Amino acid sequence: MSRVLVVVPTYNERDNVGPLLRELVALDERIDVWVADDGSPDGTAGEVRKVAAELPPGRVELIERHEKGGRGAAVIASFKLGLADARSYDVLFEMDADFSHHPREIPKFLDLIASGKADMVIGSRYIPGGSTSEWGVTRTALSAWANRYIALVAGIPVNDCTSGYRAYRRQVLEATDFDRIKIKGYVVHGEMAYQAWINGFHIGEVPIHFKNRARDASKLTVEEIYMALVNFAGLRFRYGRKPRPHPLALASRAERPTAS
């Protein structure tokens, strides 16, 4: 892997974004970070510009979106730009800005991709070694139930479909039909994972610890939960029930190291 892009969607993350950007850039010289800010009124964009000016040129960039379109829309828009970028990123990440997804976990994602065992890697709270904290009983139960529901109705062999900490080989995103995605907001992750699986890409999971941000009770809205319930039930009918390897998936298998 020559270049890695980390996409960080933000809304009112001024206090968190600076430390996160510095830690990500220091982690690995291959990593660039793009912050997709949805018009934060707290000055998040200004803080990103300030930190970017202090770091090596090109390592941090700001994508300003002038309305709050939601996490899923911000990430998809950034991925489209990242795929078209002349730096030809090999791996594209998405993660939260508030340290609920910690940068120290990134090497585990990159190692699994480099091993040839996965084209897409999800940071999972629900496999051995994964965990959550400061979430409360209701939120923990809701998340666990949602992931069991997705696995049951969609049939996708993933333990944590709703995790927003994940990495994709660029071929996975190149094969993704973003225009077909109906689920919006934070739970768009499930439909993107289903597309990757139905396209024949290998999905892996690494254990992460998710620490809930103290000032945000929940990122899921009632509307997003309703959309998830309705749309996840229809994924098998919209995309099919069995993987049909996409030409890019077949090419990816031929290019990557042999998994042992």
Side-chain angles (χ1 to χ4, degrees):
M1 293 175 287
S2 58
R3 299 304 301 170
V4 176
L5 175 62
V6 177
V7 171
V8 182
T10 58
Y11 187 75
N12 287 345
E13 297 287 0
R14 182 186 59 191
D15 295 339
N16 296 312
V17 73
L20 178 72
L21 293 175
R22 293 185 181 93
E23 189 157 344
L24 285 169
V25 168
L27 183 66
D28 192 314
E29 64 182 8
R30 298 172 297 176
I31 292 177
D32 295 336
V33 189
W34 290 4
V35 177
D37 185 65
D38 269 9
S40 299
D42 73 338
T44 297
E47 183 66 16
V48 173
R49 292 191 196 93
K50 175 176 173 279
V51 174
E54 298 169 358
L55 295 171
R59 299 295 304 280
V60 172
E61 296 185 17
L62 173 66
I63 301 172
E64 290 192 84
R65 293 162 49 83
H66 298 292
E67 60 181 14
K68 194 173 186 297
R71 187 191 196 282
V75 169
I76 287 173
S78 301
F79 280 161
K80 289 179 178 179
L81 292 172
L83 291 174
D85 194 87
R87 282 164 284 193
S88 298
Y89 293 107
D90 300 294
V91 177
L92 295 89
F93 273 83
E94 59 174 298
M95 67 183 298
D96 288 349
D98 57 9
F99 284 93
S100 56
H101 300 150
H102 204 285
R104 65 171 170 259
E105 312 270 18
I106 283 180
K108 294 190 291 189
F109 291 76
L110 294 177
D111 287 346
L112 187 55
I113 289 177
S115 74
K117 296 178 181 178
D119 301 297
M120 172 183 174
V121 180
I122 296 174
S124 179
R125 299 156 289 184
Y126 305 122
I127 62 174
S131 60
T132 64
S133 62
E134 300 181 26
W135 236 11
V137 175
T138 301
R139 181 77 190 275
T140 301
L142 175 63
S143 177
W145 175 84
N147 279 285
R148 292 193 192 100
Y149 172 83
I150 294 168
L152 176 65
V153 303
I156 183 171
V158 173
N159 295 285
D160 197 351
C161 257
T162 61
S163 171
Y165 199 1
R166 48 180 62 191
Y168 306 81
R169 282 172 59 94
R170 71 173 291 120
Q171 291 91 339
V172 177
L173 296 176
E174 287 173 334
T176 299
D177 187 347
F178 294 111
D179 293 334
R180 290 188 69 184
I181 294 176
K182 291 186 177 181
I183 299 173
K184 306 297 182 185
Y186 203 79
V187 289
V188 70
H189 308 112
E191 187 162 353
M192 290 186 66
Y194 195 86
Q195 278 207 39
W197 177 68
I198 210 73
N199 283 333
F201 291 101
H202 292 174
I203 302 177
E205 294 180 90
V206 295
I208 62 166
H209 174 73
F210 178 92
K211 182 178 181 180
N212 188 46
R213 53 195 280 172
R215 63 185 179 86
D216 189 4
S218 174
K219 292 180 180 177
L220 289 172
T221 66
V222 173
E223 181 182 3
E224 286 177 338
I225 294 171
Y226 172 76
M227 290 177 66
L229 292 174
V230 172
N231 286 295
F232 280 131
L235 289 179
R236 287 187 174 188
F237 299 99
R238 291 171 50 214
Y239 292 106
R241 295 172 178 265
K242 296 181 180 180
R244 302 180 304 277
H246 190 281
L248 287 171
L250 298 175
S252 176
R253 294 176 192 176
E255 294 171 2
R256 68 192 179 195
T258 302
S260 59

